[in-house]
Amino acid sequence: MPIDIHESWKPYLKDEFNKLYFLDLMRFVDSEYKSHSCFPPENQIFNAFNHCHFEDVKVVIIGQDPYHGLRQAHGLCFSVNDGVRHPPSLINILKEVEFQLGVSYPKSGNLMHWANQGILLLNATLTVRAHEAGSHQKKGWEVFTDSVINTISNEKENVVFLLWGGYAKKKIKLIDTNKHRVLNSGHPSPLSANRGYWFGNNNFLEANRYLESKGLKPIKW
């Protein structure tokens, strides 16, 4: 399977592409897409990297698994294509943006405009079999995306990492907290949000305050 990833990432990830686990992963993904319906579409697997170039990364949001329903996933964590019904976690994310920043709740759940401002919307696993949540986990994607997080931490400064939920919070071990800002919260899923672990976290407001304190342009959430 061809690795359709923006040139800006290749100097930092080229060694990863040649490792045995990654070659095995690509063979697995290629086989899955040929024999099953999988998401996102094959040409959108690396969308997070293609719409947020390495030199532009200011914020990293870590999800776990792509949406596994028809037309939902397009390579950006928590985001859905235009015209697709907003999943519950995305609804709570957009409600919290509205609450913190006074931004009107949008008609579209497509977060491409976030990616284009320097937000890497990174799922830990980049592919999934249709209607089978977690079906591509522990095949090698997590090794690759952990390397991405660690590379950003090592090679850049003043990046905001948004770690939502227990799974994402474990990624803090990959991040140099002396160089970067880590903001934690409960997961935006209804189970967590309805227990008081999501709403009122101030992550979007705090992220912008940090970026501005470093002389960087805030995000138009």
Short mmCIF file of all heavy atoms in Angstrom, two decimals, residues 86-141:
data_model
loop_
_atom_site.label_atom_id
_atom_site.label_comp_id
_atom_site.label_asym_id
_atom_site.label_seq_id
_atom_site.Cartn_x
_atom_site.Cartn_y
_atom_site.Cartn_z
N HIS A 86 -23.65 14.32 13.53
CA HIS A 86 -22.56 14.43 14.49
C HIS A 86 -22.64 13.31 15.52
O HIS A 86 -23.65 13.16 16.21
CB HIS A 86 -22.62 15.78 15.21
CG HIS A 86 -22.52 16.95 14.30
ND1 HIS A 86 -22.51 18.25 14.77
CD2 HIS A 86 -22.41 17.05 12.95
CE1 HIS A 86 -22.41 19.09 13.75
NE2 HIS A 86 -22.36 18.38 12.63
N PRO A 87 -21.56 12.53 15.69
CA PRO A 87 -21.53 11.53 16.76
C PRO A 87 -21.54 12.19 18.13
O PRO A 87 -21.19 13.36 18.28
CB PRO A 87 -20.20 10.79 16.51
CG PRO A 87 -19.85 11.09 15.09
CD PRO A 87 -20.37 12.48 14.84
N PRO A 88 -21.94 11.44 19.17
CA PRO A 88 -22.08 12.02 20.51
C PRO A 88 -20.84 12.72 21.05
O PRO A 88 -20.93 13.80 21.63
CB PRO A 88 -22.46 10.81 21.37
CG PRO A 88 -23.15 9.88 20.43
CD PRO A 88 -22.43 10.05 19.13
N SER A 89 -19.64 12.13 20.87
CA SER A 89 -18.42 12.77 21.38
C SER A 89 -18.16 14.10 20.69
O SER A 89 -17.78 15.08 21.33
CB SER A 89 -17.21 11.85 21.20
OG SER A 89 -17.29 10.74 22.05
N LEU A 90 -18.39 14.13 19.39
CA LEU A 90 -18.19 15.37 18.64
C LEU A 90 -19.18 16.44 19.08
O LEU A 90 -18.83 17.61 19.20
CB LEU A 90 -18.31 15.10 17.14
CG LEU A 90 -18.16 16.31 16.22
CD1 LEU A 90 -16.80 16.98 16.40
CD2 LEU A 90 -18.36 15.90 14.75
N ILE A 91 -20.40 16.03 19.33
CA ILE A 91 -21.41 16.99 19.82
C ILE A 91 -20.92 17.64 21.11
O ILE A 91 -20.98 18.87 21.26
CB ILE A 91 -22.76 16.28 20.07
CG1 ILE A 91 -23.40 15.88 18.74
CG2 ILE A 91 -23.71 17.18 20.87
CD1 ILE A 91 -24.65 15.03 18.89
N ASN A 92 -20.39 16.84 22.02
CA ASN A 92 -19.92 17.40 23.30
C ASN A 92 -18.69 18.28 23.13
O ASN A 92 -18.52 19.27 23.86
CB ASN A 92 -19.65 16.26 24.28
CG ASN A 92 -20.93 15.64 24.80
OD1 ASN A 92 -21.99 16.27 24.79
ND2 ASN A 92 -20.85 14.39 25.25
N ILE A 93 -17.82 17.94 22.18
CA ILE A 93 -16.67 18.79 21.89
C ILE A 93 -17.13 20.15 21.40
O ILE A 93 -16.68 21.20 21.89
CB ILE A 93 -15.76 18.12 20.83
CG1 ILE A 93 -15.04 16.90 21.43
CG2 ILE A 93 -14.74 19.12 20.27
CD1 ILE A 93 -14.32 16.05 20.40
N LEU A 94 -18.04 20.15 20.45
CA LEU A 94 -18.50 21.41 19.86
C LEU A 94 -19.34 22.23 20.84
O LEU A 94 -19.31 23.46 20.82
CB LEU A 94 -19.27 21.12 18.58
CG LEU A 94 -18.45 20.46 17.46
CD1 LEU A 94 -19.33 20.10 16.27
CD2 LEU A 94 -17.30 21.36 17.02
N LYS A 95 -20.05 21.54 21.72
CA LYS A 95 -20.79 22.25 22.78
C LYS A 95 -19.83 22.95 23.73
O LYS A 95 -20.09 24.07 24.18
CB LYS A 95 -21.67 21.27 23.56
CG LYS A 95 -22.97 20.88 22.89
CD LYS A 95 -23.77 19.96 23.79
CE LYS A 95 -25.13 19.62 23.20
NZ LYS A 95 -25.88 18.68 24.09
N GLU A 96 -18.73 22.29 24.04
CA GLU A 96 -17.76 22.87 24.96
C GLU A 96 -17.04 24.06 24.32
O GLU A 96 -16.75 25.06 25.00
CB GLU A 96 -16.75 21.81 25.42
CG GLU A 96 -15.78 22.27 26.50
CD GLU A 96 -16.46 22.73 27.79
OE1 GLU A 96 -17.66 22.45 28.01
OE2 GLU A 96 -15.77 23.38 28.60
N VAL A 97 -16.74 23.98 23.03
CA VAL A 97 -16.17 25.12 22.31
C VAL A 97 -17.14 26.30 22.37
O VAL A 97 -16.75 27.44 22.63
CB VAL A 97 -15.86 24.75 20.84
CG1 VAL A 97 -15.51 26.00 20.03
CG2 VAL A 97 -14.71 23.75 20.78
N GLU A 98 -18.41 26.01 22.14
CA GLU A 98 -19.44 27.06 22.19
C GLU A 98 -19.49 27.70 23.57
O GLU A 98 -19.55 28.93 23.70
CB GLU A 98 -20.80 26.44 21.83
CG GLU A 98 -21.94 27.44 21.78
CD GLU A 98 -23.25 26.78 21.39
OE1 GLU A 98 -23.48 25.62 21.78
OE2 GLU A 98 -24.06 27.44 20.72
N PHE A 99 -19.44 26.88 24.61
CA PHE A 99 -19.52 27.37 25.98
C PHE A 99 -18.29 28.22 26.35
O PHE A 99 -18.42 29.29 26.94
CB PHE A 99 -19.66 26.20 26.95
CG PHE A 99 -19.58 26.60 28.40
CD1 PHE A 99 -20.66 27.21 29.02
CD2 PHE A 99 -18.43 26.38 29.14
CE1 PHE A 99 -20.60 27.60 30.36
CE2 PHE A 99 -18.36 26.75 30.48
CZ PHE A 99 -19.44 27.36 31.08
N GLN A 100 -17.10 27.72 25.99
CA GLN A 100 -15.86 28.40 26.40
C GLN A 100 -15.59 29.67 25.61
O GLN A 100 -15.12 30.67 26.16
CB GLN A 100 -14.66 27.46 26.23
CG GLN A 100 -14.58 26.36 27.26
CD GLN A 100 -13.35 25.49 27.08
OE1 GLN A 100 -12.30 25.97 26.65
NE2 GLN A 100 -13.48 24.21 27.38
N LEU A 101 -15.87 29.63 24.31
CA LEU A 101 -15.42 30.71 23.43
C LEU A 101 -16.56 31.47 22.76
O LEU A 101 -16.30 32.42 22.01
CB LEU A 101 -14.47 30.15 22.36
CG LEU A 101 -13.22 29.44 22.93
CD1 LEU A 101 -12.45 28.75 21.81
CD2 LEU A 101 -12.32 30.44 23.63
N GLY A 102 -17.79 31.06 22.99
CA GLY A 102 -18.91 31.76 22.38
C GLY A 102 -19.04 31.54 20.90
O GLY A 102 -19.69 32.33 20.20
N VAL A 103 -18.44 30.47 20.41
CA VAL A 103 -18.52 30.13 18.98
C VAL A 103 -19.82 29.38 18.73
O VAL A 103 -20.11 28.41 19.42
CB VAL A 103 -17.32 29.26 18.55
CG1 VAL A 103 -17.44 28.87 17.09
CG2 VAL A 103 -16.01 30.01 18.81
N SER A 104 -20.61 29.82 17.77
CA SER A 104 -21.89 29.17 17.50
C SER A 104 -21.68 27.71 17.11
O SER A 104 -20.75 27.39 16.36
CB SER A 104 -22.63 29.91 16.38
OG SER A 104 -22.93 31.23 16.77
N TYR A 105 -22.56 26.85 17.60
CA TYR A 105 -22.48 25.43 17.25
C TYR A 105 -22.61 25.28 15.74
O TYR A 105 -23.57 25.77 15.14
CB TYR A 105 -23.58 24.64 17.96
CG TYR A 105 -23.42 23.14 17.83
CD1 TYR A 105 -22.81 22.39 18.83
CD2 TYR A 105 -23.87 22.48 16.69
CE1 TYR A 105 -22.66 21.02 18.71
CE2 TYR A 105 -23.71 21.11 16.56
CZ TYR A 105 -23.10 20.39 17.57
OH TYR A 105 -22.94 19.03 17.43
N PRO A 106 -21.64 24.61 15.08
CA PRO A 106 -21.63 24.57 13.61
C PRO A 106 -22.58 23.53 13.02
O PRO A 106 -22.90 22.52 13.66
CB PRO A 106 -20.18 24.20 13.30
CG PRO A 106 -19.76 23.36 14.46
CD PRO A 106 -20.46 23.95 15.66
N LYS A 107 -22.99 23.78 11.80
CA LYS A 107 -23.83 22.83 11.07
C LYS A 107 -23.03 21.59 10.70
O LYS A 107 -23.52 20.47 10.77
CB LYS A 107 -24.40 23.49 9.82
CG LYS A 107 -25.31 22.59 9.00
CD LYS A 107 -25.89 23.33 7.80
CE LYS A 107 -26.80 22.41 6.99
NZ LYS A 107 -27.37 23.12 5.80
N SER A 108 -21.78 21.80 10.30
CA SER A 108 -20.93 20.69 9.87
C SER A 108 -20.02 20.22 11.01
O SER A 108 -19.51 21.03 11.78
CB SER A 108 -20.07 21.11 8.68
OG SER A 108 -19.13 20.09 8.35
N GLY A 109 -19.81 18.91 11.06
CA GLY A 109 -18.88 18.34 12.04
C GLY A 109 -17.51 18.09 11.45
O GLY A 109 -16.69 17.38 12.04
N ASN A 110 -17.24 18.68 10.30
CA ASN A 110 -15.94 18.53 9.64
C ASN A 110 -14.94 19.48 10.31
O ASN A 110 -15.12 20.70 10.28
CB ASN A 110 -16.09 18.86 8.15
CG ASN A 110 -14.86 18.50 7.34
OD1 ASN A 110 -13.74 18.56 7.84
ND2 ASN A 110 -15.06 18.15 6.08
N LEU A 111 -13.88 18.91 10.89
CA LEU A 111 -12.89 19.71 11.62
C LEU A 111 -11.65 20.03 10.77
O LEU A 111 -10.60 20.34 11.31
CB LEU A 111 -12.46 18.96 12.89
CG LEU A 111 -13.58 18.60 13.87
CD1 LEU A 111 -13.01 17.87 15.09
CD2 LEU A 111 -14.36 19.83 14.29
N MET A 112 -11.82 19.98 9.46
CA MET A 112 -10.70 20.28 8.57
C MET A 112 -10.12 21.66 8.84
O MET A 112 -8.91 21.87 8.74
CB MET A 112 -11.14 20.18 7.11
CG MET A 112 -9.99 20.15 6.12
SD MET A 112 -9.24 18.53 6.02
CE MET A 112 -10.48 17.64 5.09
N HIS A 113 -10.99 22.61 9.20
CA HIS A 113 -10.50 23.97 9.47
C HIS A 113 -9.61 24.01 10.71
O HIS A 113 -8.78 24.89 10.84
CB HIS A 113 -11.66 24.95 9.59
CG HIS A 113 -12.57 24.72 10.75
ND1 HIS A 113 -13.41 23.62 10.84
CD2 HIS A 113 -12.78 25.43 11.89
CE1 HIS A 113 -14.09 23.68 11.97
NE2 HIS A 113 -13.72 24.76 12.63
N TRP A 114 -9.76 23.06 11.61
CA TRP A 114 -8.83 22.94 12.73
C TRP A 114 -7.48 22.44 12.23
O TRP A 114 -6.44 22.99 12.56
CB TRP A 114 -9.37 21.97 13.77
CG TRP A 114 -10.52 22.46 14.58
CD1 TRP A 114 -11.29 23.57 14.36
CD2 TRP A 114 -11.04 21.85 15.77
NE1 TRP A 114 -12.26 23.69 15.32
CE2 TRP A 114 -12.14 22.64 16.20
CE3 TRP A 114 -10.72 20.72 16.49
CZ2 TRP A 114 -12.88 22.34 17.34
CZ3 TRP A 114 -11.45 20.39 17.64
CH2 TRP A 114 -12.52 21.19 18.05
N ALA A 115 -7.51 21.37 11.44
CA ALA A 115 -6.27 20.78 10.91
C ALA A 115 -5.48 21.81 10.12
O ALA A 115 -4.25 21.89 10.22
CB ALA A 115 -6.59 19.58 10.04
N ASN A 116 -6.18 22.61 9.33
CA ASN A 116 -5.51 23.60 8.48
C ASN A 116 -4.87 24.74 9.27
O ASN A 116 -4.10 25.52 8.72
CB ASN A 116 -6.49 24.17 7.45
CG ASN A 116 -6.90 23.13 6.42
OD1 ASN A 116 -6.17 22.17 6.17
ND2 ASN A 116 -8.06 23.32 5.81
N GLN A 117 -5.19 24.83 10.57
CA GLN A 117 -4.58 25.86 11.43
C GLN A 117 -3.42 25.31 12.27
O GLN A 117 -2.85 26.02 13.09
CB GLN A 117 -5.63 26.43 12.38
CG GLN A 117 -6.73 27.22 11.71
CD GLN A 117 -7.73 27.72 12.75
OE1 GLN A 117 -7.46 28.68 13.49
NE2 GLN A 117 -8.87 27.07 12.84
N GLY A 118 -3.08 24.04 12.06
CA GLY A 118 -1.96 23.47 12.80
C GLY A 118 -2.36 22.53 13.92
O GLY A 118 -1.58 22.32 14.85
N ILE A 119 -3.56 21.95 13.83
CA ILE A 119 -3.99 20.96 14.82
C ILE A 119 -3.87 19.58 14.19
O ILE A 119 -4.53 19.28 13.18
CB ILE A 119 -5.43 21.21 15.27
CG1 ILE A 119 -5.56 22.60 15.91
CG2 ILE A 119 -5.86 20.13 16.27
CD1 ILE A 119 -6.96 22.92 16.40
N LEU A 120 -3.04 18.74 14.77
CA LEU A 120 -2.91 17.36 14.31
C LEU A 120 -3.98 16.53 15.01
O LEU A 120 -3.93 16.31 16.21
CB LEU A 120 -1.52 16.80 14.62
CG LEU A 120 -1.26 15.39 14.10
CD1 LEU A 120 -1.22 15.37 12.58
CD2 LEU A 120 0.04 14.83 14.68
N LEU A 121 -4.97 16.11 14.23
CA LEU A 121 -6.10 15.34 14.75
C LEU A 121 -5.78 13.86 14.56
O LEU A 121 -6.17 13.23 13.58
CB LEU A 121 -7.38 15.74 14.02
CG LEU A 121 -7.83 17.19 14.28
CD1 LEU A 121 -8.81 17.67 13.22
CD2 LEU A 121 -8.44 17.32 15.67
N LEU A 122 -5.07 13.31 15.54
CA LEU A 122 -4.41 12.02 15.40
C LEU A 122 -5.13 10.90 16.16
O LEU A 122 -5.16 10.90 17.39
CB LEU A 122 -2.97 12.14 15.91
CG LEU A 122 -2.09 10.90 15.80
CD1 LEU A 122 -1.79 10.57 14.34
CD2 LEU A 122 -0.79 11.11 16.58
N ASN A 123 -5.67 9.95 15.43
CA ASN A 123 -6.13 8.73 16.07
C ASN A 123 -4.95 7.81 16.33
O ASN A 123 -4.01 7.76 15.52
CB ASN A 123 -7.14 8.00 15.18
CG ASN A 123 -8.56 8.48 15.38
OD1 ASN A 123 -9.02 8.68 16.50
ND2 ASN A 123 -9.28 8.68 14.28
N ALA A 124 -5.00 7.08 17.43
CA ALA A 124 -3.93 6.13 17.73
C ALA A 124 -3.91 5.00 16.71
O ALA A 124 -2.85 4.48 16.35
CB ALA A 124 -4.11 5.56 19.13
N THR A 125 -5.07 4.61 16.23
CA THR A 125 -5.22 3.62 15.16
C THR A 125 -5.84 4.33 13.97
O THR A 125 -6.86 4.99 14.12
CB THR A 125 -6.13 2.47 15.62
OG1 THR A 125 -5.59 1.88 16.80
CG2 THR A 125 -6.27 1.41 14.54
N LEU A 126 -5.25 4.19 12.81
CA LEU A 126 -5.67 5.02 11.67
C LEU A 126 -6.69 4.37 10.75
O LEU A 126 -7.22 5.03 9.86
CB LEU A 126 -4.45 5.44 10.84
CG LEU A 126 -3.40 6.30 11.56
CD1 LEU A 126 -2.36 6.80 10.56
CD2 LEU A 126 -4.02 7.46 12.30
N THR A 127 -6.97 3.08 10.96
CA THR A 127 -7.94 2.40 10.11
C THR A 127 -8.83 1.50 10.96
O THR A 127 -8.50 1.16 12.09
CB THR A 127 -7.24 1.54 9.03
OG1 THR A 127 -6.37 0.60 9.67
CG2 THR A 127 -6.44 2.41 8.07
N VAL A 128 -9.96 1.08 10.36
CA VAL A 128 -10.89 0.19 11.06
C VAL A 128 -11.75 -0.53 10.02
O VAL A 128 -12.03 0.01 8.96
CB VAL A 128 -11.78 1.00 12.05
CG1 VAL A 128 -12.74 1.92 11.31
CG2 VAL A 128 -12.52 0.09 13.01
N ARG A 129 -12.13 -1.75 10.34
CA ARG A 129 -13.07 -2.47 9.48
C ARG A 129 -14.48 -1.94 9.74
O ARG A 129 -14.83 -1.62 10.87
CB ARG A 129 -13.00 -3.97 9.78
CG ARG A 129 -13.69 -4.83 8.73
CD ARG A 129 -13.68 -6.30 9.11
NE ARG A 129 -12.35 -6.89 9.05
CZ ARG A 129 -12.10 -8.18 9.26
NH1 ARG A 129 -13.11 -9.00 9.58
NH2 ARG A 129 -10.87 -8.64 9.19
N ALA A 130 -15.28 -1.82 8.70
CA ALA A 130 -16.63 -1.26 8.82
C ALA A 130 -17.43 -1.98 9.90
O ALA A 130 -17.48 -3.21 9.94
CB ALA A 130 -17.36 -1.36 7.48
N HIS A 131 -18.02 -1.19 10.78
CA HIS A 131 -18.95 -1.66 11.83
C HIS A 131 -18.29 -2.60 12.83
O HIS A 131 -19.00 -3.34 13.53
CB HIS A 131 -20.17 -2.34 11.18
CG HIS A 131 -20.76 -1.56 10.05
ND1 HIS A 131 -21.22 -0.27 10.20
CD2 HIS A 131 -20.92 -1.88 8.73
CE1 HIS A 131 -21.66 0.18 9.03
NE2 HIS A 131 -21.49 -0.77 8.13
N GLU A 132 -16.95 -2.58 12.91
CA GLU A 132 -16.24 -3.42 13.87
C GLU A 132 -15.23 -2.57 14.64
O GLU A 132 -14.06 -2.50 14.29
CB GLU A 132 -15.53 -4.58 13.17
CG GLU A 132 -16.47 -5.58 12.51
CD GLU A 132 -15.74 -6.80 11.95
OE1 GLU A 132 -14.77 -7.25 12.58
OE2 GLU A 132 -16.15 -7.27 10.87
N ALA A 133 -15.71 -1.90 15.66
CA ALA A 133 -14.86 -1.01 16.44
C ALA A 133 -13.63 -1.74 16.98
O ALA A 133 -13.73 -2.87 17.46
CB ALA A 133 -15.65 -0.42 17.61
N GLY A 134 -12.48 -1.10 16.85
CA GLY A 134 -11.25 -1.67 17.38
C GLY A 134 -10.66 -2.81 16.58
O GLY A 134 -9.69 -3.43 17.02
N SER A 135 -11.19 -3.07 15.40
CA SER A 135 -10.77 -4.24 14.63
C SER A 135 -9.34 -4.14 14.09
O SER A 135 -8.74 -5.16 13.74
CB SER A 135 -11.74 -4.48 13.46
OG SER A 135 -11.96 -3.29 12.73
N HIS A 136 -8.79 -2.94 14.01
CA HIS A 136 -7.41 -2.78 13.53
C HIS A 136 -6.47 -2.34 14.65
O HIS A 136 -5.34 -1.90 14.38
CB HIS A 136 -7.34 -1.79 12.37
CG HIS A 136 -7.92 -2.34 11.10
ND1 HIS A 136 -7.87 -1.65 9.90
CD2 HIS A 136 -8.54 -3.52 10.83
CE1 HIS A 136 -8.44 -2.38 8.95
NE2 HIS A 136 -8.87 -3.51 9.50
N GLN A 137 -6.91 -2.47 15.88
CA GLN A 137 -6.04 -2.15 17.00
C GLN A 137 -5.01 -3.27 17.20
O GLN A 137 -5.23 -4.42 16.82
CB GLN A 137 -6.84 -1.97 18.29
CG GLN A 137 -7.72 -0.72 18.29
CD GLN A 137 -8.53 -0.58 19.56
OE1 GLN A 137 -8.44 -1.39 20.47
NE2 GLN A 137 -9.37 0.46 19.61
N LYS A 138 -3.85 -2.89 17.76
CA LYS A 138 -2.78 -3.82 18.10
C LYS A 138 -2.25 -4.57 16.87
O LYS A 138 -1.81 -5.72 16.97
CB LYS A 138 -3.25 -4.81 19.17
CG LYS A 138 -3.64 -4.11 20.47
CD LYS A 138 -4.10 -5.08 21.53
CE LYS A 138 -4.49 -4.33 22.80
NZ LYS A 138 -4.99 -5.23 23.86
N LYS A 139 -2.26 -3.87 15.73
CA LYS A 139 -1.67 -4.41 14.51
C LYS A 139 -0.41 -3.65 14.12
O LYS A 139 0.25 -3.99 13.15
CB LYS A 139 -2.68 -4.34 13.34
CG LYS A 139 -3.98 -5.09 13.59
CD LYS A 139 -3.77 -6.58 13.71
CE LYS A 139 -5.09 -7.33 13.86
NZ LYS A 139 -4.89 -8.78 14.01
N GLY A 140 -0.10 -2.60 14.88
CA GLY A 140 1.08 -1.80 14.60
C GLY A 140 0.84 -0.31 14.51
O GLY A 140 1.77 0.49 14.62
N TRP A 141 -0.41 0.08 14.31
CA TRP A 141 -0.70 1.51 14.21
C TRP A 141 -0.28 2.28 15.46
O TRP A 141 0.24 3.39 15.38
CB TRP A 141 -2.19 1.76 13.96
CG TRP A 141 -2.66 1.64 12.54
CD1 TRP A 141 -3.70 0.91 12.07
CD2 TRP A 141 -2.12 2.33 11.40
NE1 TRP A 141 -3.84 1.08 10.71
CE2 TRP A 141 -2.88 1.95 10.27
CE3 TRP A 141 -1.06 3.22 11.21
CZ2 TRP A 141 -2.64 2.43 8.99
CZ3 TRP A 141 -0.80 3.70 9.94
CH2 TRP A 141 -1.59 3.31 8.85
#
